Amino acid sequence: MTYDRLLIDCRAATMVEGGAPYGSIDKAAVLIRDGEIAWIGPQADLPVDVKARQTDRLDGRWITPGLVDCHTHLVFGGNRADEFEMRLKGATYEEIARAGGGIVSSVNRTRGASPQELLDQALGRLAGLTRDGVTTVEIKSGYGLDRESELKMLRVAREVGRVGGVRVSTSYLGLHAVPAEHKASRELYVDIAIDEILPAACAEGLVDVVDAYCEPIAFSAEEVARLFEKARALGLPVKLHADQLSDGGGAALAARYGALSADHVEHTSEAGARAMGDAGVVAVLLPGAFTMLREKTPPPIEAFRRCGVAMAVASDCNPGTSPVASLQTCLTLACVQFRLTPEEALAGATRHAAKALGLQDRIGTLAAGKAADIAVWNIETPAELSYWIGKPLLDRAYLAGEPRV
């Protein structure tokens, strides 16, 4: 049988659980056919008569699964550098939000931007992620907050996947904030977001997952539950911004609805962690936002470990609280700020991040039958991916078995 591509003379951090650290294979080879990994193992076990249209010799470099950034707000208009200055002068996130800043201040710029402008800006941010070996990125709506603008954001997110050299998973985040025009009619906006915008986006094939922001400054557990019921009726999985600023029971709510993930989770209780573990909900750690907001309470890492909660790591790239376009930097921050091990951090940007998107059957590990999304690194050990800040480490990346330009 002839294969499309053969990778030889490499060391593989497969990130498959069990066995060697990082699921590593020394002196590995990979056979690729039809965009998938057909075989991976020790190069010495390759059949002698293997034929491939293209053979890439990697000169002893490490390969990993393409990294997965499972929580971003990559599509938005403008930036909020002014609020960054305000926070440094003492204003809190809550104070800025209650004064009309925060999420709502990005809405006008996003509404006013053309699809091409939003796409161009998003691709500029994506460039930072792809330089870090990201091959899959989740992109949320949530800066439109009306039907036209939310659909515009989601269409742009799909276009990012078509032209940006990455796989894209979209999340509908209509319950992100109450727009200014509905400050006096909050219930009406919730109705519109759940009963009008979400079905329209779903009918157009723009939604992979439904998300919400559950906090006292955002939406209540009851409002989120209504949204999740609608998502369930539409056959869509859910995830949740949970317990970022306080323990509002978001983790337990996510568990009750079998969410793919609960994200932020700095204030999640032991009971919440236990519920997540029992329901298989991934904890998505967002150390960029934690650092930029100068938070003091880290996520309950030990509780997550005790309860068997998979921990993903993501950039949370957004205009206000995490203007971070480097997933590798977030791996370092997850180790330094949250005390993850480098292996846990890399699992968080591969295997567990894929699970947080419901894509663990396609991406996140190097194994036969998985998509041939592969990052090739100029490193001596996988721990370097969490060790260096700012040093270019990526040699090349493959998406579905083809070199990404």
Side-chain angles (χ1 to χ4, degrees), residues 35-37 167 361-367 369-374 400-401:
E36 294 185 347
I37 296 172
R167 299 179 191 273
D361 291 339
R362 291 294 301 146
I363 59 173
T365 58
L366 299 180
K370 296 289 189 74
D373 296 355
I374 300 170

Side-chain angles (χ1 to χ4, degrees), residues 17-184:
E17 288 187 277
Y22 298 94
S24 60
I25 302 171
D26 195 28
K27 297 180 181 177
V30 184
L31 285 168
I32 297 169
R33 185 175 60 240
D34 296 331
E36 294 185 347
I37 296 172
W39 181 90
I40 181 170
Q43 188 168 319
D45 293 345
L46 269 173
V48 295
D49 59 346
V50 161
K51 296 180 181 179
R53 297 183 180 91
Q54 176 71 38
T55 297
D56 295 353
R57 186 179 297 275
L58 300 182
D59 300 324
R61 291 182 175 87
W62 278 94
I63 63 172
T64 70
L67 301 191
V68 179
D69 196 343
C70 64
H71 182 128
T72 86
H73 304 253
L74 204 65
V75 174
F76 56 84
N79 65 68
R80 303 215 301 267
D82 54 342
E83 292 179 16
F84 174 62
E85 287 192 297
M86 291 171 63
R87 288 199 303 274
L88 292 176
K89 292 177 181 178
T92 67
Y93 180 41
E94 294 95 329
E95 288 170 345
I96 291 170
R98 293 188 188 282
I103 295 165
V104 175
S105 70
S106 291
V107 171
N108 288 338
R109 293 181 182 182
T110 302
R111 288 178 175 179
S114 70
Q116 188 62 51
E117 289 170 334
L118 290 177
L119 177 63
D120 290 343
Q121 292 179 44
L123 291 174
R125 299 168 196 127
L126 179 67
L129 299 178
T130 56
R131 282 194 296 268
D132 280 359
V134 170
T135 54
T136 297
V137 61
E138 183 259 14
I139 303 176
K140 304 179 190 297
S141 68
Y143 291 120
L145 306 184
D146 63 27
R147 176 172 173 149
E148 177 183 351
S149 302
E150 286 289 294
L151 295 182
K152 176 176 67 173
M153 289 187 69
L154 291 166
R155 292 182 192 120
V156 170
R158 289 285 193 232
E159 189 65 14
V160 168
R162 283 188 282 270
V163 303
V166 291
R167 299 179 191 273
V168 167
S169 176
T170 57
S171 295
Y172 170 69
L173 185 57
L175 294 192
H176 196 196
V178 177
E181 67 269 23
H182 284 291
K183 287 296 183 183

